[in-house]
Amino acid sequence: GQQLNQSPQSMFIQEGEDVSMNCTSSSIFNTWLWYKQDPGEGPVLLIALYKAGELTSNGRLTAQFGITRKDSFLNISASIPSDVGIYFCAGQRTTDSWGKFQFGAGTQVVVTP
Amino acid sequence: NAGVTQTPKFRILKIGQSMTLQCTQDMNHNYMYWYRQDPGMGLKLIYYSVGAGITDKGEVPNGYNVSRSTTEDFPLRLELAAPSQTSVYFCASSLRTGTNSPLHFGNGTRLTVT
């Protein structure tokens, strides 16, 4: 099945910096989800987006559903050490008739003091 | 709330052995899924279920079987383990498909086949 193109693959940043990552596809989506996965744990939902252009925040996290409905981005502001982990996107295409999701490969975030 | 619970957390199998990965959810979700996660790859769907008694194949079903006798439980069976099945397995659930119905994941089962 088609997977989403997620970039960057990894990021090494200093504490206090902002982080930005995105997911793109050639298909049109009706749902975008952003998850964080800590080592040895399951993915935890951060933000869910359901409308084109929608901009949603969750604390220092902000995500947007692209206007073209083919992309989404996630920003983390003023990073802290506990932001370390793998962030990945998931999307549901308009052509999928049931709860079938496409997934990005993830962005590994490393925060140094 | 417990959410989605998977057992065991870790398992090592020898080639040819069989095992069942357990998954249960207490959110009364209709949809349940099994994914595998390999390094550098997005999650791949193995099997899914839209309700008790209904299951269907995902992208990578070969070597696996599932059953859904109740709304809560969705076990994944490996009959003849192969090294290619070394992976991290995640069970997930969602209330339904569509708006306001994101996936909720368990903590995973890390399986090594040697």
Side-chain angles (χ1 to χ4, degrees):
Chain A
Q2 177 190 358
Q3 299 293 312
L4 297 170
N5 299 312
Q6 185 171 350
S7 64
Q9 208 168 16
S10 59
M11 303 185 72
F12 293 80
I13 59 172
Q14 286 198 314
E15 187 175 353
E17 287 184 343
D18 296 344
V19 176
S20 185
M21 63 195 77
N22 67 78
C23 279
T24 62
S25 174
S26 57
S27 298
I28 295 174
F29 287 75
N30 57 28
T31 299
W32 284 100
L33 308 172
W34 283 94
Y35 289 87
K36 183 189 179 199
Q37 186 175 10
D38 291 326
E41 303 293 329
V44 174
L45 182 68
L46 299 173
I47 293 177
L49 302 162
Y50 300 107
K51 293 180 183 178
E54 182 180 354
L55 185 72
T56 298
S57 293
N58 177 7
R60 293 177 297 103
L61 307 174
T62 301
Q64 185 159 27
F65 194 137
I67 293 290
T68 65
R69 302 176 71 184
K70 295 181 178 180
D71 59 0
S72 178
F73 72 77
L74 175 71
N75 284 345
I76 306 172
S77 62
S79 59
I80 59 177
S82 63
D83 290 334
V84 166
I86 298 176
Y87 295 78
F88 66 86
C89 59
Q92 185 170 357
R93 296 178 300 187
T94 55
T95 52
D96 289 321
S97 59
W98 53 274
K100 185 175 182 180
F101 291 85
Q102 312 295 318
F103 292 90
T107 295
Q108 175 132 32
V109 173
V110 177
V111 181
T112 57
Chain B
N1 288 340
V4 179
T5 302
Q6 290 183 239
T7 57
K9 199 169 177 66
F10 303 94
R11 185 71 186 268
I12 298 174
L13 282 182
K14 293 188 184 302
I15 294 171
Q17 286 185 321
S18 61
M19 77 164 294
T20 299
L21 283 66
Q22 302 291 345
C23 175
T24 187
Q25 52 90 11
D26 62 359
M27 298 174 283
N28 203 31
H29 282 176
N30 297 320
Y31 287 72
M32 295 189 75
Y33 316 78
W34 275 105
Y35 292 94
R36 60 177 288 170
Q37 185 180 47
D38 298 307
M41 308 286 287
L43 290 162
K44 292 189 176 178
L45 183 64
I46 304 171
Y47 270 95
Y48 68 98
S49 169
V50 301
I54 306 170
T55 63
D56 209 344
K57 297 177 181 179
E59 301 170 65
V60 290
N62 291 345
Y64 308 95
N65 274 302
V66 293
S67 59
R68 183 100 182 267
S69 56
T70 67
T71 299
E72 294 79 19
D73 301 306
F74 191 41
L76 178 71
R77 178 90 178 154
L78 282 70
E79 290 294 349
L80 290 170
S84 61
Q85 294 178 306
T86 293
S87 189
V88 182
Y89 292 85
F90 287 102
C91 179
S93 71
S94 64
L95 180 61
R96 59 186 179 278
T97 184
T99 301
N100 297 325
S101 190
L103 289 170
H104 298 266
F105 288 90
N107 280 333
T109 294
R110 283 140 190 84
L111 176 67
T112 301
V113 182
T114 62

PDB file of all heavy atoms in Angstrom, chain A residues 5 10 21 23 28 31 33 47 49 56 58 60 65 69 71 74 76 80 84 87 89 93 105 107 110-111:
ATOM      1  N   ASN A   5       5.067  10.306   2.390  1.00  0.00           N
ATOM      2  CA  ASN A   5       6.438  10.795   2.382  1.00  0.00           C
ATOM      3  C   ASN A   5       6.610  11.745   3.546  1.00  0.00           C
ATOM      4  O   ASN A   5       6.050  12.849   3.551  1.00  0.00           O
ATOM      5  CB  ASN A   5       6.735  11.511   1.063  1.00  0.00           C
ATOM      6  CG  ASN A   5       6.574  10.589  -0.122  1.00  0.00           C
ATOM      7  OD1 ASN A   5       7.092   9.468  -0.123  1.00  0.00           O
ATOM      8  ND2 ASN A   5       5.852  11.026  -1.127  1.00  0.00           N
ATOM      9  N   SER A  10      15.329  12.596  10.300  1.00  0.00           N
ATOM     10  CA  SER A  10      15.784  12.803  11.667  1.00  0.00           C
ATOM     11  C   SER A  10      16.181  14.259  11.854  1.00  0.00           C
ATOM     12  O   SER A  10      16.489  14.956  10.876  1.00  0.00           O
ATOM     13  CB  SER A  10      16.954  11.884  12.007  1.00  0.00           C
ATOM     14  OG  SER A  10      18.027  12.117  11.138  1.00  0.00           O
ATOM     15  N   MET A  21       8.192  19.448  10.806  1.00  0.00           N
ATOM     16  CA  MET A  21       8.234  18.259   9.960  1.00  0.00           C
ATOM     17  C   MET A  21       6.956  18.202   9.145  1.00  0.00           C
ATOM     18  O   MET A  21       5.958  18.842   9.502  1.00  0.00           O
ATOM     19  CB  MET A  21       8.402  17.001  10.812  1.00  0.00           C
ATOM     20  CG  MET A  21       7.247  16.741  11.753  1.00  0.00           C
ATOM     21  SD  MET A  21       7.650  15.517  13.021  1.00  0.00           S
ATOM     22  CE  MET A  21       8.643  16.484  14.160  1.00  0.00           C
ATOM     23  N   CYS A  23       4.409  15.844   6.079  1.00  0.00           N
ATOM     24  CA  CYS A  23       4.057  14.639   5.329  1.00  0.00           C
ATOM     25  C   CYS A  23       3.349  15.051   4.059  1.00  0.00           C
ATOM     26  O   CYS A  23       2.486  15.945   4.074  1.00  0.00           O
ATOM     27  CB  CYS A  23       3.143  13.742   6.149  1.00  0.00           C
ATOM     28  SG  CYS A  23       4.037  12.727   7.336  1.00  0.00           S
ATOM     29  N   ILE A  28      -5.426  12.543  -2.126  1.00  0.00           N
ATOM     30  CA  ILE A  28      -6.181  13.499  -1.324  1.00  0.00           C
ATOM     31  C   ILE A  28      -6.669  12.809  -0.059  1.00  0.00           C
ATOM     32  O   ILE A  28      -7.205  11.709  -0.114  1.00  0.00           O
ATOM     33  CB  ILE A  28      -7.370  14.066  -2.124  1.00  0.00           C
ATOM     34  CG1 ILE A  28      -6.844  14.873  -3.314  1.00  0.00           C
ATOM     35  CG2 ILE A  28      -8.269  14.934  -1.241  1.00  0.00           C
ATOM     36  CD1 ILE A  28      -7.929  15.352  -4.251  1.00  0.00           C
ATOM     37  N   THR A  31      -8.438  12.950   6.472  1.00  0.00           N
ATOM     38  CA  THR A  31      -8.014  12.924   7.874  1.00  0.00           C
ATOM     39  C   THR A  31      -6.494  12.893   7.932  1.00  0.00           C
ATOM     40  O   THR A  31      -5.872  12.157   7.165  1.00  0.00           O
ATOM     41  CB  THR A  31      -8.549  11.663   8.601  1.00  0.00           C
ATOM     42  OG1 THR A  31      -9.972  11.665   8.573  1.00  0.00           O
ATOM     43  CG2 THR A  31      -8.074  11.618  10.043  1.00  0.00           C
ATOM     44  N   LEU A  33      -3.502  12.557  11.032  1.00  0.00           N
ATOM     45  CA  LEU A  33      -3.235  12.326  12.441  1.00  0.00           C
ATOM     46  C   LEU A  33      -1.729  12.421  12.667  1.00  0.00           C
ATOM     47  O   LEU A  33      -0.944  11.990  11.824  1.00  0.00           O
ATOM     48  CB  LEU A  33      -3.717  10.929  12.875  1.00  0.00           C
ATOM     49  CG  LEU A  33      -5.165  10.567  12.538  1.00  0.00           C
ATOM     50  CD1 LEU A  33      -5.418   9.088  12.847  1.00  0.00           C
ATOM     51  CD2 LEU A  33      -6.129  11.449  13.326  1.00  0.00           C
ATOM     52  N   ILE A  47      -2.312  15.053  17.724  1.00  0.00           N
ATOM     53  CA  ILE A  47      -3.263  15.980  17.104  1.00  0.00           C
ATOM     54  C   ILE A  47      -3.988  15.254  15.978  1.00  0.00           C
ATOM     55  O   ILE A  47      -3.376  14.490  15.241  1.00  0.00           O
ATOM     56  CB  ILE A  47      -2.543  17.233  16.547  1.00  0.00           C
ATOM     57  CG1 ILE A  47      -1.955  18.069  17.690  1.00  0.00           C
ATOM     58  CG2 ILE A  47      -3.501  18.077  15.711  1.00  0.00           C
ATOM     59  CD1 ILE A  47      -1.173  19.289  17.230  1.00  0.00           C
ATOM     60  N   LEU A  49      -6.646  16.044  12.645  1.00  0.00           N
ATOM     61  CA  LEU A  49      -7.127  17.100  11.747  1.00  0.00           C
ATOM     62  C   LEU A  49      -8.125  16.510  10.774  1.00  0.00           C
ATOM     63  O   LEU A  49      -7.881  15.440  10.189  1.00  0.00           O
ATOM     64  CB  LEU A  49      -5.942  17.696  10.976  1.00  0.00           C
ATOM     65  CG  LEU A  49      -4.808  18.284  11.817  1.00  0.00           C
ATOM     66  CD1 LEU A  49      -3.546  18.423  10.977  1.00  0.00           C
ATOM     67  CD2 LEU A  49      -5.213  19.630  12.403  1.00  0.00           C
ATOM     68  N   THR A  56      -4.502  23.291  14.294  1.00  0.00           N
ATOM     69  CA  THR A  56      -4.851  22.858  15.645  1.00  0.00           C
ATOM     70  C   THR A  56      -3.614  22.812  16.517  1.00  0.00           C
ATOM     71  O   THR A  56      -2.562  22.360  16.081  1.00  0.00           O
ATOM     72  CB  THR A  56      -5.514  21.472  15.613  1.00  0.00           C
ATOM     73  OG1 THR A  56      -6.723  21.553  14.865  1.00  0.00           O
ATOM     74  CG2 THR A  56      -5.839  20.982  17.009  1.00  0.00           C
ATOM     75  N   ASN A  58      -1.856  21.820  20.415  1.00  0.00           N
ATOM     76  CA  ASN A  58      -1.917  21.006  21.621  1.00  0.00           C
ATOM     77  C   ASN A  58      -0.678  21.368  22.431  1.00  0.00           C
ATOM     78  O   ASN A  58       0.388  20.803  22.243  1.00  0.00           O
ATOM     79  CB  ASN A  58      -1.936  19.521  21.252  1.00  0.00           C
ATOM     80  CG  ASN A  58      -1.936  18.640  22.483  1.00  0.00           C
ATOM     81  OD1 ASN A  58      -2.046  19.120  23.613  1.00  0.00           O
ATOM     82  ND2 ASN A  58      -1.819  17.346  22.272  1.00  0.00           N
ATOM     83  N   ARG A  60       2.590  23.022  23.099  1.00  0.00           N
ATOM     84  CA  ARG A  60       3.622  23.577  22.205  1.00  0.00           C
ATOM     85  C   ARG A  60       3.579  22.971  20.813  1.00  0.00           C
ATOM     86  O   ARG A  60       4.412  23.294  19.971  1.00  0.00           O
ATOM     87  CB  ARG A  60       4.991  23.326  22.844  1.00  0.00           C
ATOM     88  CG  ARG A  60       5.231  24.112  24.128  1.00  0.00           C
ATOM     89  CD  ARG A  60       6.588  23.770  24.760  1.00  0.00           C
ATOM     90  NE  ARG A  60       6.658  22.380  25.169  1.00  0.00           N
ATOM     91  CZ  ARG A  60       7.314  21.440  24.501  1.00  0.00           C
ATOM     92  NH1 ARG A  60       7.987  21.748  23.405  1.00  0.00           N
ATOM     93  NH2 ARG A  60       7.327  20.194  24.943  1.00  0.00           N
ATOM     94  N   PHE A  65      -3.629  20.963   8.468  1.00  0.00           N
ATOM     95  CA  PHE A  65      -4.137  20.163   7.359  1.00  0.00           C
ATOM     96  C   PHE A  65      -3.968  21.029   6.110  1.00  0.00           C
ATOM     97  O   PHE A  65      -4.576  22.081   5.993  1.00  0.00           O
ATOM     98  CB  PHE A  65      -5.618  19.871   7.613  1.00  0.00           C
ATOM     99  CG  PHE A  65      -6.240  18.808   6.772  1.00  0.00           C
ATOM    100  CD1 PHE A  65      -7.080  17.877   7.359  1.00  0.00           C
ATOM    101  CD2 PHE A  65      -6.035  18.743   5.399  1.00  0.00           C
ATOM    102  CE1 PHE A  65      -7.695  16.890   6.588  1.00  0.00           C
ATOM    103  CE2 PHE A  65      -6.633  17.775   4.636  1.00  0.00           C
ATOM    104  CZ  PHE A  65      -7.476  16.848   5.227  1.00  0.00           C
ATOM    105  N   ARG A  69      -5.065  19.349   0.597  1.00  0.00           N
ATOM    106  CA  ARG A  69      -5.488  18.078   1.212  1.00  0.00           C
ATOM    107  C   ARG A  69      -4.514  16.948   0.922  1.00  0.00           C
ATOM    108  O   ARG A  69      -4.830  15.790   1.152  1.00  0.00           O
ATOM    109  CB  ARG A  69      -6.901  17.693   0.753  1.00  0.00           C
ATOM    110  CG  ARG A  69      -7.925  18.752   1.088  1.00  0.00           C
ATOM    111  CD  ARG A  69      -9.298  18.418   0.562  1.00  0.00           C
ATOM    112  NE  ARG A  69      -9.895  17.320   1.298  1.00  0.00           N
ATOM    113  CZ  ARG A  69     -11.064  16.777   0.998  1.00  0.00           C
ATOM    114  NH1 ARG A  69     -11.754  17.225  -0.021  1.00  0.00           N
ATOM    115  NH2 ARG A  69     -11.551  15.788   1.722  1.00  0.00           N
ATOM    116  N   ASP A  71      -1.181  17.249   2.065  1.00  0.00           N
ATOM    117  CA  ASP A  71      -0.059  17.347   2.976  1.00  0.00           C
ATOM    118  C   ASP A  71      -0.495  17.871   4.341  1.00  0.00           C
ATOM    119  O   ASP A  71      -1.599  18.402   4.516  1.00  0.00           O
ATOM    120  CB  ASP A  71       1.051  18.228   2.401  1.00  0.00           C
ATOM    121  CG  ASP A  71       0.599  19.645   2.097  1.00  0.00           C
ATOM    122  OD1 ASP A  71      -0.596  19.960   2.341  1.00  0.00           O
ATOM    123  OD2 ASP A  71       1.417  20.429   1.612  1.00  0.00           O
ATOM    124  N   LEU A  74       3.689  19.430  11.149  1.00  0.00           N
ATOM    125  CA  LEU A  74       3.670  19.488  12.606  1.00  0.00           C
ATOM    126  C   LEU A  74       4.826  20.369  13.061  1.00  0.00           C
ATOM    127  O   LEU A  74       5.958  20.182  12.613  1.00  0.00           O
ATOM    128  CB  LEU A  74       3.820  18.097  13.222  1.00  0.00           C
ATOM    129  CG  LEU A  74       3.937  18.037  14.745  1.00  0.00           C
ATOM    130  CD1 LEU A  74       2.603  18.381  15.399  1.00  0.00           C
ATOM    131  CD2 LEU A  74       4.398  16.657  15.211  1.00  0.00           C
ATOM    132  N   ILE A  76       6.829  21.912  16.554  1.00  0.00           N
ATOM    133  CA  ILE A  76       7.030  21.871  17.999  1.00  0.00           C
ATOM    134  C   ILE A  76       7.796  23.138  18.347  1.00  0.00           C
ATOM    135  O   ILE A  76       8.872  23.381  17.807  1.00  0.00           O
ATOM    136  CB  ILE A  76       7.844  20.645  18.436  1.00  0.00           C
ATOM    137  CG1 ILE A  76       7.210  19.360  17.910  1.00  0.00           C
ATOM    138  CG2 ILE A  76       7.956  20.603  19.964  1.00  0.00           C
ATOM    139  CD1 ILE A  76       8.074  18.122  18.149  1.00  0.00           C
ATOM    140  N   ILE A  80      11.952  20.829  24.380  1.00  0.00           N
ATOM    141  CA  ILE A  80      12.498  20.439  25.673  1.00  0.00           C
ATOM    142  C   ILE A  80      12.967  18.988  25.574  1.00  0.00           C
ATOM    143  O   ILE A  80      12.580  18.278  24.635  1.00  0.00           O
ATOM    144  CB  ILE A  80      11.450  20.601  26.796  1.00  0.00           C
ATOM    145  CG1 ILE A  80      10.221  19.739  26.501  1.00  0.00           C
ATOM    146  CG2 ILE A  80      11.056  22.063  26.956  1.00  0.00           C
ATOM    147  CD1 ILE A  80       9.154  19.789  27.594  1.00  0.00           C
ATOM    148  N   VAL A  84      12.036  14.328  22.838  1.00  0.00           N
ATOM    149  CA  VAL A  84      12.761  13.273  22.134  1.00  0.00           C
ATOM    150  C   VAL A  84      11.820  12.115  21.824  1.00  0.00           C
ATOM    151  O   VAL A  84      11.034  11.700  22.663  1.00  0.00           O
ATOM    152  CB  VAL A  84      13.941  12.771  22.989  1.00  0.00           C
ATOM    153  CG1 VAL A  84      14.495  11.468  22.448  1.00  0.00           C
ATOM    154  CG2 VAL A  84      15.029  13.816  23.042  1.00  0.00           C
ATOM    155  N   TYR A  87       8.218  10.917  15.699  1.00  0.00           N
ATOM    156  CA  TYR A  87       6.921  11.498  15.359  1.00  0.00           C
ATOM    157  C   TYR A  87       6.518  10.982  13.990  1.00  0.00           C
ATOM    158  O   TYR A  87       7.330  10.977  13.067  1.00  0.00           O
ATOM    159  CB  TYR A  87       7.006  13.025  15.330  1.00  0.00           C
ATOM    160  CG  TYR A  87       7.308  13.626  16.676  1.00  0.00           C
ATOM    161  CD1 TYR A  87       8.605  13.612  17.190  1.00  0.00           C
ATOM    162  CD2 TYR A  87       6.288  14.188  17.447  1.00  0.00           C
ATOM    163  CE1 TYR A  87       8.885  14.149  18.441  1.00  0.00           C
ATOM    164  CE2 TYR A  87       6.559  14.733  18.696  1.00  0.00           C
ATOM    165  CZ  TYR A  87       7.856  14.704  19.177  1.00  0.00           C
ATOM    166  OH  TYR A  87       8.121  15.232  20.418  1.00  0.00           O
ATOM    167  N   CYS A  89       3.200  10.653  10.960  1.00  0.00           N
ATOM    168  CA  CYS A  89       1.887  11.075  10.485  1.00  0.00           C
ATOM    169  C   CYS A  89       1.124   9.854  10.003  1.00  0.00           C
ATOM    170  O   CYS A  89       1.694   8.833   9.633  1.00  0.00           O
ATOM    171  CB  CYS A  89       2.018  12.081   9.364  1.00  0.00           C
ATOM    172  SG  CYS A  89       2.918  11.462   7.930  1.00  0.00           S
ATOM    173  N   ARG A  93      -7.202   8.383   3.203  1.00  0.00           N
ATOM    174  CA  ARG A  93      -7.529   8.922   1.888  1.00  0.00           C
ATOM    175  C   ARG A  93      -9.032   8.967   1.662  1.00  0.00           C
ATOM    176  O   ARG A  93      -9.779   8.149   2.188  1.00  0.00           O
ATOM    177  CB  ARG A  93      -6.868   8.073   0.794  1.00  0.00           C
ATOM    178  CG  ARG A  93      -5.355   8.106   0.829  1.00  0.00           C
ATOM    179  CD  ARG A  93      -4.754   7.214  -0.231  1.00  0.00           C
ATOM    180  NE  ARG A  93      -5.148   5.824  -0.057  1.00  0.00           N
ATOM    181  CZ  ARG A  93      -4.647   4.818  -0.778  1.00  0.00           C
ATOM    182  NH1 ARG A  93      -3.749   5.076  -1.715  1.00  0.00           N
ATOM    183  NH2 ARG A  93      -5.054   3.582  -0.574  1.00  0.00           N
ATOM    184  N   ALA A 105       7.062   7.209   7.575  1.00  0.00           N
ATOM    185  CA  ALA A 105       8.102   6.381   8.200  1.00  0.00           C
ATOM    186  C   ALA A 105       8.607   6.968   9.501  1.00  0.00           C
ATOM    187  O   ALA A 105       9.327   6.303  10.244  1.00  0.00           O
ATOM    188  CB  ALA A 105       9.260   6.161   7.233  1.00  0.00           C
ATOM    189  N   THR A 107       9.773  10.759  11.862  1.00  0.00           N
ATOM    190  CA  THR A 107      10.874  11.719  12.034  1.00  0.00           C
ATOM    191  C   THR A 107      11.425  11.521  13.439  1.00  0.00           C
ATOM    192  O   THR A 107      10.692  11.683  14.417  1.00  0.00           O
ATOM    193  CB  THR A 107      10.379  13.168  11.871  1.00  0.00           C
ATOM    194  OG1 THR A 107       9.944  13.370  10.533  1.00  0.00           O
ATOM    195  CG2 THR A 107      11.495  14.150  12.206  1.00  0.00           C
ATOM    196  N   VAL A 110      15.918  14.384  18.174  1.00  0.00           N
ATOM    197  CA  VAL A 110      16.872  14.304  19.280  1.00  0.00           C
ATOM    198  C   VAL A 110      17.103  15.719  19.780  1.00  0.00           C
ATOM    199  O   VAL A 110      17.434  16.613  18.995  1.00  0.00           O
ATOM    200  CB  VAL A 110      18.206  13.678  18.841  1.00  0.00           C
ATOM    201  CG1 VAL A 110      19.197  13.684  19.995  1.00  0.00           C
ATOM    202  CG2 VAL A 110      17.972  12.263  18.325  1.00  0.00           C
ATOM    203  N   VAL A 111      16.924  15.946  21.054  1.00  0.00           N
ATOM    204  CA  VAL A 111      17.081  17.263  21.654  1.00  0.00           C
ATOM    205  C   VAL A 111      18.287  17.244  22.578  1.00  0.00           C
ATOM    206  O   VAL A 111      18.352  16.418  23.503  1.00  0.00           O
ATOM    207  CB  VAL A 111      15.826  17.669  22.448  1.00  0.00           C
ATOM    208  CG1 VAL A 111      16.010  19.061  23.057  1.00  0.00           C
ATOM    209  CG2 VAL A 111      14.594  17.640  21.556  1.00  0.00           C
TER     210      VAL A 111
END
